[in-house]
Amino acid sequence: MNAISWIITAAASFAAGIAASMGLGGGFVLLVYLTAVAGVDQLAAQWMNLIFFLPVGGLSLWMHLKNGLIEKKALLPSILAGIAGAAGGVLLANFLGNGAMTKVFAVFLAVIGLRELFKK
């Protein structure tokens, strides 16, 4: 990877982190960049996306806790459900494989895009 590629990757990662911290879908930005521009397989891109956003999520959680915006009774069940969902998603993604995951992700994006386009 040359210097220009590193700069573009760093800029895309930074933009994704900023978008994610504002709740604007930074994971979408990073996944599209990794698969469409960087040529990374869908499963590897999803793994990188998850690893990338763990520190961002932790920082966001800490800031929201500090500002009193988290209902502490819901924290543990939410964390456990998130871990279970992530583990289930990993198992499903490995079962489906890269080709099927790429198609599932494309359909998901199309459905969400159409919903947003025609939502009242």
Side-chain angles (χ1 to χ4, degrees):
M1 189 178 250
N2 62 29
I4 300 292
S5 295
W6 277 105
I7 292 170
I8 292 170
T9 300
S13 299
F14 183 75
I18 295 296
S21 68
M22 295 187 300
L24 300 174
F28 167 75
V29 172
L30 190 58
L31 276 173
V32 170
Y33 167 75
L34 288 171
T35 56
V37 178
V40 176
D41 288 337
Q42 184 74 31
L43 291 176
Q46 286 178 260
W47 175 84
M48 286 184 230
N49 189 37
L50 178 62
I51 296 301
F52 180 80
F53 284 103
L54 286 175
V56 173
L59 180 61
S60 297
L61 178 62
W62 176 73
M63 291 176 71
H64 288 316
L65 275 170
K66 186 177 90 169
N67 292 325
L69 300 173
I70 301 289
E71 186 178 327
K72 292 181 182 173
K73 288 189 288 184
L75 196 57
L76 183 60
S78 298
I79 290 171
L80 295 176
I83 290 170
V90 166
L91 293 172
L92 180 62
N94 284 327
F95 174 76
L96 291 175
N98 190 56
M101 282 304 297
T102 301
K103 291 174 185 161
V104 168
F105 186 63
V107 169
F108 172 75
L109 288 181
V111 168
I112 295 299
L114 289 171
R115 191 191 93 185
E116 289 298 313
L117 188 62
F118 295 112
K119 181 172 99 173
K120 294 180 182 177

